Amino acid sequence: MKFEFHIPLRGLIGTEREMKYVEEIRPEARRRMRLHYQTVKYDIASKIAFYRELLEVFGSLEGQFLLYSIYLDQDSEVINLELETSDFQHIDLNKTNLSTFFQQNSPSYNNSSVKGFLKRYFTETLDLSSNEWEEEDGIRNPVTNKLIDWILHKITKDSTTNELRDFVLNYTKLWNTYFSNPYNLTKALILLHKFHEKYRNLDPQYLKIDLKTLLTDLNYFINELLPNVFNSPLTDVVQPSEIFKDGSDHNHLRVQSYLNKMSEFQERLTMNSVFFQDLGSLSWPDLLFHASTALPHVQTAYLNEIKRRHIINDVPKFNEIDGFIKKISMIKTPLNKDVPDSIATPNYLFFL
């Protein structure tokens, strides 16, 4: 593996080397990694040797991918104990939020460095009291409550997506450590319900981060990793099927409740995501059509784009209004009359 993938990169450095790898080599490299992982995943010694080789060959190019593959591996604790500092020579651990874990100085909790790392991370990030970590169960959910408030605060402030990304990935590890075997459907329902109830009341005009894109990208990233990882309810947003992975015989009504709540959450994510789209690329007929047919929650985004265009004196031409009228004449759903009344009728009355 080492020489086969090094040859095309020989003589290249920096950005040029990274671009060559991403554009021409990475899909095949990851395909082979996953195939080989399947042959060693049940043998700890072989898996450790496999990860060690990957870190040597691909550490400078796939650092994040490999660190999270190891971290989210069910045997991460044993693997990390066997890896040495020299195995990470191609990765700057200090630039990752996993540095404490991989430098093997994470605190122990219940004789587990993984649980110790998770407790320290979430206690510091969420400012938990000494008792709240212990009280996180199906009846009291102090960690879940503070987790939801933390995320909602971050997406309404000038935060970085990396901070949110790391947080959600660490929660994925927490979920796989505590709640996935068996899948804790009660915890999942509580998290989804509470999160959705607060998230849907946010004014999307003031959101700073597109949560749908963030969580969807993380879903794909997690599913690309070498080990089979359970998505937490936060990243179970592309195909909500995580509750079926563990093979448990969950109550049908509670499963359906989870799927219904996930569907509502997905819908709200999609609606809020409209405010982050490039509406400037829409044609006038399409923009007016969306503004006339969108739900009130979303319509504001289209109305803001109409207002922006008018400010710069970009107004629809006669033929564009005609195209808009033809589009709305083909649908039977009720229209929001504000757009036709405020734009089409006063200025282009003879088209109506």
Side-chain angles (χ1 to χ4, degrees), residues 225-257:
L225 295 176
L226 300 179
N228 183 25
V229 180
F230 278 88
N231 280 292
S232 77
L234 291 177
T235 49
D236 188 20
V237 294
V238 176
Q239 182 68 36
S241 57
E242 296 299 306
I243 54 176
F244 303 116
K245 276 188 178 180
D246 68 346
S248 299
D249 186 18
H250 294 295
N251 178 279
H252 174 73
L253 291 177
R254 294 176 70 244
V255 169
Q256 195 58 51
S257 294

Side-chain angles (χ1 to χ4, degrees), residues 199 202-210 268-279 294-305:
Y199 177 67
L202 295 178
D203 187 334
Q205 295 185 84
Y206 301 107
L207 297 180
K208 305 295 185 181
I209 293 176
D210 181 0
R268 179 60 59 168
L269 286 170
T270 299
M271 291 170 69
N272 286 359
S273 186
V274 171
F275 286 80
F276 294 88
Q277 295 177 11
D278 179 18
L279 301 184
L295 294 172
H297 181 79
V298 178
Q299 188 193 34
T300 305
Y302 298 110
L303 295 179
N304 286 344
E305 173 59 18

Side-chain angles (χ1 to χ4, degrees), residues 12 89 102 104-105 115-116 119 134 293 313:
L12 302 178
Q89 60 182 309
F102 281 107
Q104 299 185 6
N105 58 353
K115 292 180 178 179
K119 181 180 180 183
E134 308 291 345
T293 57
N313 202 31

